[in-house]
Amino acid sequence: MDRLKLIPLIVLSALLVFIINADAGAQEEAPADTAEIVKPAPPQNVRVVDNPNDNGHYLLIRWDPSPDEGKGDNDVMGYNIYRSDKPDGEYRQMGTMPVGFYEYEDGSEEEVLAGEKNLEYMEIGETYYYKLTSVTPQDVESEFTEPVSGVPTADWFHAGKLSYFIALFLYISLVLYFIKAAKSGQKLYIRPLGGIEAIDNAIGRATEMGRPILFVLGTGTASDIATIAGYTILGRVARKTAEYQIPVLVPVNEPVMMSVAQETVRNAYIEAGRPDLYDEKNIPYVTAMQFPYVAAVNGIMIREKTATNFYMGLFHAEALLLAETGATTGAIQISGTDQPSQLPFFIAATDFTLIGEELYAASAYLSGQPLLLGPLKAQDYAKALLIVIMVIGLITMTIGWSFWYDLFSTNIT
Amino acid sequence: MGTAELLWNGLAALLTLFIFSFLYRDNVFYKFAERLVAGVSAGYWTILLYHTSFTDKVIVPIFEQQHYWYIIPSILGIMMWTRFSRKWAWLSRISLAFYIGIATGVALPIAMYASIYRQLQASMVSISLDWAGINSALVTIGLLCSLAYFYFSKEHDGWFGGISRVGIYTLMIGFGAGFGLTVMGRISLLIDRVLFLKDYVLTLFGA
């Protein structure tokens, strides 16, 4: 009976010994398998071309897939790109592209990055040499391809922007036509804008109350289109304040904007015949940081007790903070911006709002100058043209023709 | 929280309360916080501009990299300083004109792409006889009417006035949605600040 009990134990031991031996055999054989490393075939037909429509610091490297791509043990996972400035010089790896991508953009226009030489930098007109390899998932690399060279060159024209050039040319032609028409005495009708008509009344109110006017140009930069439109309205307001002899306060958040605003107000005072009233200190630089600027402007509203507040320019999150404080002081407020995200706050918290393009129209309307009325008329014609283009696009897309859509699906990035 | 961190957070909490005090009325605490934050930020920005503009774009390119063409924009920058002289102040206008002209020129193609071409692409959709198609049709009608609202060369009365009115209603619906979304974001900021104050008070009393 005891012997019978030993049988399973013996079988189990034999099985264990067999497994251990089999595993040891496999481990001994393993080096024999890895000893035969099969390198994949390198990529084929490597070409180097200048990157089109750029400033001359980039090259495009293109290739055809390795014949081993998608095959057995030496399947290819990706391609390494190496660059040198001499055909037989030292090649440095610039990047790796996965299978499925057969183009690599190499180069950089930054010669120095973080105080150190940028190894990706590419000199205009220099010759650069490239070699490529294929790489397997086991990180086995193929032999190098033969070196292929390319020369980065700068382009004067961006061919991808040709349609923009044509559109701008047509638009500028329209602008010039209407400027000429306005200069020749032709009456160009512009419909009245609610916010504009309120400007004179608001200045009059400040005069009656004997309090200053606050003009905020926003937190954009001096060269933003909305800020530029703001300068024109500021000029008009400043001219009126010079006539009525009340100060206009223009705290700004950018040094260049301060210079332009000072020039604008100074010219307005000269035009009004009161250069003696111009005070540069009324147009101070406060700070470039958004919320400290808001805190300072809110303080000005409260302490100077401004009767009228203008917000004309590019605004961000500070729009509501400024307009709400102004509303609590009881000032008449007129706002205008081309920022869709801030318009709701101005509409809610100010008395009149110039919405988007009305801000640009306002500057033309106020000035009455042919130079500004012409573009406004041209914009209206351009808008009518855009509506026609859009309607044609809708019809053609609905009936399944995409040629019209393709015509406008250019990309400049 | 270490002693130094406790003190700095205490200062931040105090300044937050000073700023909040404006909700009651203008007062000496708010004035202190306002002038402190405006002054510190102006100083910080000045140093930041010195490094990012003067060092990186004048000193390094001209003196270290010998890129002497950087002298031209540097001269334009120096001309801005002539504003301090009544006699030579007119020179600064050249710099200003150059700056604004270049910036506008560079912005034009980008604005054309983002504001016109991309919008045109997004608007040219096929109208189908299902809910998605009805949605597209409504958006398109709203868009065309909104464009009509911004047409300045014609009086907005009669049939054109009606189209324009639909346009401004469409805009107001969009603004209303934007208002609600942003107010929610602002409430989140307020909650964040109140939580900061609460955590500070709890830390202070060892909770």
Side-chain angles (χ1 to χ4, degrees), chain A residues 37-119:
Chain A
I37 296 171
V38 182
K39 287 186 175 181
Q44 297 181 319
N45 191 22
V46 180
R47 292 96 68 197
V48 180
V49 293
D50 175 45
N51 187 41
N53 304 319
D54 72 355
N55 56 2
H57 294 282
Y58 298 89
L59 285 171
L60 289 178
I61 299 96
R62 293 176 180 142
W63 60 93
D64 293 340
S66 159
D68 285 340
E69 199 178 289
K71 285 183 185 171
D73 292 337
N74 51 352
D75 188 6
V76 172
M77 181 188 69
Y79 299 95
N80 287 338
I81 296 97
Y82 295 83
R83 185 221 281 182
S84 173
D85 52 5
K86 294 185 189 75
D88 51 356
E90 187 186 342
Y91 281 79
R92 175 186 162 75
Q93 187 175 344
M94 304 309 294
T96 300
M97 292 301 281
V99 162
F101 297 89
Y102 305 106
E103 182 179 283
Y104 180 79
E105 185 184 296
D106 186 35
S108 170
E109 56 203 81
E110 304 287 343
E111 197 170 354
V112 177
L113 269 183
E116 291 186 7
K117 190 181 174 189
N118 180 14
L119 296 169

Side-chain angles (χ1 to χ4, degrees), chain A residues 142-159:
Chain A
S142 73
E143 298 292 340
F144 284 103
T145 57
E146 287 300 311
V148 180
S149 66
V151 180
T153 52
D155 300 287
W156 281 99
F157 293 98
H158 192 310

Side-chain angles (χ1 to χ4, degrees), chain A residues 111-112 164 189 191 223 262-263 287-288 295 303 317 345 355 358 377 380 383 394 398 405 408-409, chain B residues 26 30-31 34 41 45 65 67 83 93 103 113 121 125 127 140 149-153 155-156 182 186:
Chain A
E111 197 170 354
V112 177
Y164 295 8
Y189 175 77
R191 74 173 167 87
S223 57
Q262 285 177 348
E263 281 295 320
T287 171
R303 274 154 235 147
F345 304 117
I355 302 170
E358 283 182 332
K377 293 299 277 188
D380 275 355
K383 266 175 264 175
L394 278 167
T398 303
Y405 175 87
F408 297 93
S409 59
Chain B
D26 191 28
Y30 176 76
K31 280 180 193 166
E34 172 207 317
S41 68
W45 208 257
Q65 297 171 350
H67 291 167
R83 296 187 63 77
R93 292 181 185 179
Y113 174 68
Q121 287 167 30
V125 290
I127 308 289
T140 306
Y149 173 77
F150 290 106
Y151 196 79
F152 302 107
S153 298
E155 191 67 63
H156 286 189
T182 312
R186 299 290 171 87

Side-chain angles (χ1 to χ4, degrees), chain B residues 35-187:
Chain B
R35 283 160 199 191
L36 180 73
V37 76
V40 167
S41 68
Y44 169 76
W45 208 257
T46 305
I47 294 300
L48 194 73
L49 279 178
Y50 173 80
H51 285 291
T52 57
S53 298
F54 191 65
T55 306
D56 288 2
K57 292 176 181 165
V58 178
I59 301 287
V60 172
I62 295 173
F63 297 104
E64 291 181 15
Q65 297 171 350
Q66 282 80 47
H67 291 167
Y68 295 115
W69 57 89
Y70 277 72
I71 290 172
I72 299 168
S74 302
I75 290 170
L76 284 169
I78 291 164
M79 279 158 66
M80 286 292 286
W81 289 79
T82 59
R83 296 187 63 77
F84 292 115
S85 156
R86 277 181 183 274
K87 190 180 173 187
W88 300 104
W90 60 274
L91 280 172
S92 67
R93 292 181 185 179
I94 298 171
S95 306
L96 288 176
F98 187 84
Y99 173 71
I100 291 176
I102 290 284
T104 311
V106 169
L108 260 178
I110 298 164
M112 282 278 285
Y113 174 68
S115 305
I116 297 178
Y117 276 70
R118 289 288 297 154
Q119 299 299 324
L120 278 176
Q121 287 167 30
S123 309
M124 292 184 206
V125 290
S126 67
I127 308 289
S128 52
L129 292 171
D130 53 17
W131 285 114
I134 292 168
N135 186 42
S136 300
L138 278 175
V139 170
T140 306
I141 290 166
L143 173 67
L144 295 176
C145 293
S146 302
L147 272 173
Y149 173 77
F150 290 106
Y151 196 79
F152 302 107
S153 298
K154 184 172 166 49
E155 191 67 63
H156 286 189
D157 53 10
W159 65 271
F160 193 74
I163 290 174
S164 162
R165 208 163 302 120
V166 173
I168 194 70
Y169 290 158
T170 308
L171 288 171
M172 289 303 158
I173 291 168
F175 291 150
F179 190 94
L181 188 73
T182 312
V183 167
M184 279 167 65
R186 299 290 171 87
I187 295 290

Side-chain angles (χ1 to χ4, degrees), chain A residues 245-307:
Chain A
Q245 300 180 31
I246 51 165
V248 56
L249 310 175
V250 194
V252 294
N253 76 319
E254 204 213 16
V256 181
M257 198 191 286
M258 181 189 74
S259 303
V260 180
Q262 285 177 348
E263 281 295 320
T264 306
V265 175
R266 190 203 307 269
N267 285 342
Y269 274 65
I270 291 168
E271 281 173 19
R274 297 307 305 265
D276 54 306
L277 290 178
Y278 172 70
D279 187 358
E280 208 171 69
K281 288 177 188 155
N282 285 339
I283 309 157
Y285 166 75
V286 181
T287 171
M289 292 184 89
Q290 187 185 19
F291 292 111
Y293 173 73
V294 171
V297 175
N298 282 351
I300 291 170
M301 279 183 210
I302 299 285
R303 274 154 235 147
E304 300 291 337
K305 295 185 171 43
T306 52

